[in-house]
């Protein structure tokens, strides 16, 4: 399960609201970027940020604070609040934000989501589904639509949405536990990666979300109120030990080195993908020793053709890759590795080595 520690920004400060009410505000820091650095130090792999002023006003407000957060950490950041146009999305991505959460616009104009995914890719677009009394709320949770959470999620599936943040507003900031039943229903009915938000209060809540097979959980007030120790939560739910026991068995049973067709140097190419959103991160090569070390340690290990030696991704930079699964293609000459990427995969600092975009249009 992926954990998303949360930073909500209002007037440039890190705050938490109760039930989404803007007159029920608690300020935790006037320097949100310092909170982000603490999250990364605790082992967080992703940070969830909300521009509360932007959500209410319909346009991005706290750009300075958001930029400071992105620049202060090496892990990816997702942002929601006030994103209502393709130009808004580009502006947010240009700040260095990894992916953008869209809420109100998904309700008012579902086709906009299709356009956004076509323009920026499904790994960059997340839909925020915020519900109150079973109905989806919009415009900073100030208005209720006539659409149910399930109907909206199903329509988003048709738009090729891969990730949805589901918030039960009645539980947000209340430390009363998440709505596991409804979140699991959305997950089971749609098959989309559902991220549970609202009400996380203790490790038991995270355990309930994990046991329900839900993709991820956003944690906010419980961290600030020291009810959940983020480092301990990461160790339990996102560490290699927590993650790899079953995946190691799957790796060993799905792929044997003797099945692979190697080049004349005993190497095989490895295409590496993010296990969460299937984004292609990089291409590398393995020999038998690198393959065996990957299985033994759970850390992606490759063979460097230029240095003529093994290298474990991230040992120097800290941007480790934890193996999720290894599969072989139909011709047995390429390995597909799905990994949990810490920080950037590319030596340039980009999340993916494939960050330069071009296309060929047939006329």
């Amino acid at each position: 399960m992926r954990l998303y520690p949360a930073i909500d920004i209002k007037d440039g400060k890190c705050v938490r609201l109760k039930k989404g009410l803007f007159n029920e505000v608690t300020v935790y820091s006037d320097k949100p970027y310092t909170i982000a650095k603490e999250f990364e130090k605790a082992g967080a792999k992703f940070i969830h940020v909300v521009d509360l002023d932007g959500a209410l006003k319909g346009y991005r407000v706290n750009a300075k604070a958001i930029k400071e957060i992105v620049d202060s950490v090496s892990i990816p950041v997702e942002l929601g609040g006030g994103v209502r146009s393709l130009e808004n999305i580009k502006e947010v991505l240009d700040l260095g934000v990894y992916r953008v959460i869209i809420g109100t616009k998904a309700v008012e104009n579902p086709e906009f989501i299709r356009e956004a995914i076509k323009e920026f890719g499904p790994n960059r677009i997340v839909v925020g589904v915020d519900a109150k009394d079973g109905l989806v709320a919009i415009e900073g949770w100030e208005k209720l639509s006539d659409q149910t959470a399930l109907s909206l999620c199903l329509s988003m599936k048709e738009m090729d949405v891969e990730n949805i943040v589901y918030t039960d507003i009645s539980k947000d900031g209340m430390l009363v536990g998440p709505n596991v039943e409804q979140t699991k229903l959305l997950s089971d009915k749609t098959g989309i990666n559902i991220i549970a938000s609202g009400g996380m209060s203790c490790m038991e809540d995270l355990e309930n979300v994990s046991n329900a097979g839900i993709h991820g959980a956003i944690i906010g007030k419980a961290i600030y109120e020291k009810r959940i120790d983020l480092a301990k939560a990461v160790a339990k739910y996102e560490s290699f030990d927590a993650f790899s026991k079953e995946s190691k068995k799957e790796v060993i049973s799905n792929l044997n080195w003797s099945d692979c067709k190697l080049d004349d140097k005993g190497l095989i190419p490895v295409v590496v993908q993010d296990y969460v959103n299937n984004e292609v991160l990089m291409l590398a090569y393995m020999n038998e020793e690198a393959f065996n070390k990957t299985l033994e340690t759970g850390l992606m290990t490759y063979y460097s053709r230029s240095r003529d030696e093994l290298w474990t991704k991230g040992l120097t930079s800290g941007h480790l890759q934890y193996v999720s699964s290894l599969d072989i293609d139909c011709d047995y000459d390429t390995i597909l590795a799905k990994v949990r990427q810490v920080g950037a995969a590319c030596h340039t600092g980009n999340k993916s080595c494939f960050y330069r975009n071009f296309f060929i249009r047939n006329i």
Side-chain angles (χ1 to χ4, degrees):
M1 180 174 68
R2 174 154 284 179
L3 303 180
Y4 297 80
I7 299 174
D8 289 0
I9 304 175
K10 185 178 187 300
D11 300 325
K13 301 175 182 179
C14 174
V15 307
R16 298 301 294 176
L17 307 181
K18 287 185 178 180
K19 297 184 179 181
L21 299 174
F22 279 74
N23 60 349
E24 294 282 350
V25 181
T26 302
V27 177
Y28 288 99
S29 175
D30 60 358
K31 297 179 179 178
Y33 71 91
T34 63
I35 303 294
K37 292 171 72 172
E38 290 175 7
F39 288 165
E40 183 175 36
K41 185 177 180 180
K45 310 298 188 299
F46 225 111
I47 295 178
H48 175 83
V49 178
V50 178
D51 183 345
L52 293 173
D53 299 306
L56 187 61
K57 296 179 180 180
Y59 55 87
R60 184 168 47 83
V61 175
N62 291 290
K64 181 176 181 292
I66 294 163
K67 179 64 173 172
E68 288 176 340
I69 289 173
V70 171
D71 289 345
S72 69
V73 297
S74 61
I75 57 178
V77 173
E78 64 180 18
L79 174 73
V83 180
R84 309 285 169 84
S85 69
L86 295 179
E87 291 76 14
N88 288 159
I89 296 174
K90 186 178 185 306
E91 289 170 358
V92 170
L93 296 178
D94 286 345
L95 289 175
V97 170
Y98 178 65
R99 65 188 189 190
V100 179
I101 303 168
I102 302 169
T104 296
K105 195 72 173 182
V107 179
E108 296 178 342
N109 180 15
E111 282 298 322
F112 172 76
I113 300 300
R114 192 192 303 277
E115 295 174 11
I117 288 177
K118 182 179 180 181
E119 179 75 17
F120 301 102
N123 57 310
R124 299 287 184 170
I125 304 299
V126 180
V127 170
V129 176
D130 309 320
K132 184 186 294 184
D133 299 325
L135 296 177
V136 176
I138 58 175
E139 297 182 16
W141 299 352
E142 295 292 303
K143 296 182 180 179
L144 283 181
S145 71
D146 58 0
Q147 194 165 9
T148 67
L150 179 57
S151 65
L152 178 58
C153 288
L154 289 172
S155 67
M156 290 300 101
K157 182 177 182 179
E158 295 178 1
M159 306 293 174
D160 296 323
V161 169
E162 296 178 354
N163 298 282
I164 287 177
V165 174
Y166 169 69
T167 304
D168 185 325
I169 297 172
S170 68
K171 295 179 178 292
D172 189 69
M174 299 303 293
L175 298 173
V176 293
N179 190 337
V180 177
E181 182 179 356
Q182 179 66 15
T183 310
K184 177 173 172 54
L185 173 68
L186 298 178
S187 179
D188 292 345
K189 292 289 186 181
T190 65
I192 293 174
N193 291 331
I194 304 293
I195 302 168
S197 176
M200 301 294 171
S201 66
C202 59
M203 292 289 279
E204 184 179 353
D205 288 338
L206 295 179
E207 186 73 11
N208 291 336
V209 172
S210 178
N211 289 340
I214 295 166
H215 166 75
I218 292 173
I219 319 170
K221 190 174 183 179
I223 297 175
Y224 300 107
E225 299 290 334
K226 302 188 184 305
R227 295 182 178 225
I228 291 178
D229 184 309
L230 180 59
K232 291 181 179 179
V234 168
K236 183 169 184 179
Y237 296 105
E238 290 205 294
S239 70
F240 172 69
D241 288 340
F243 177 78
S244 66
K245 291 179 181 178
E246 292 304 318
S247 63
K248 262 193 173 183
K249 295 176 184 177
E250 182 180 352
V251 168
I252 293 170
S253 64
N254 279 356
L255 178 60
N256 294 311
W257 184 256
S258 59
D259 295 330
C260 299
K261 294 180 182 177
L262 312 177
D263 65 15
D264 57 0
K265 295 182 180 179
L267 303 178
I268 188 169
V270 183
V271 177
V272 185
Q273 284 184 303
D274 187 302
Y275 92 103
V276 175
N277 55 34
N278 292 327
E279 180 181 12
V280 176
L281 300 176
M282 56 182 281
L283 173 69
Y285 288 82
M286 277 184 176
N287 61 8
E288 185 172 8
E289 186 179 1
F291 175 77
N292 289 333
K293 189 171 182 180
T294 296
L295 294 186
E296 177 186 350
T297 64
L299 295 172
M300 291 301 298
T301 302
Y302 307 102
Y303 179 81
S304 171
R305 296 174 297 168
S306 61
R307 299 192 304 272
D308 191 25
E309 63 182 13
L310 295 188
W311 62 286
T312 298
K313 175 66 177 174
L315 277 188
T316 301
S317 66
H319 296 170
L320 299 166
Q321 290 178 344
Y322 294 96
V323 63
S324 168
S325 63
L326 300 177
D327 293 290
I328 195 78
D329 76 334
C330 57
D331 293 322
Y332 292 87
D333 60 7
T334 305
I335 291 175
L336 175 65
K338 292 196 175 184
V339 304
R340 296 168 70 92
Q341 175 69 53
V342 178
C346 184
H347 73 281
T348 63
N350 288 281
K351 176 69 184 297
S352 168
C353 291
F354 299 93
Y355 61 90
R356 294 187 177 98
N357 302 115
F358 71 93
F359 67 95
I360 299 173
R361 176 177 291 151
N362 293 321
I363 300 176

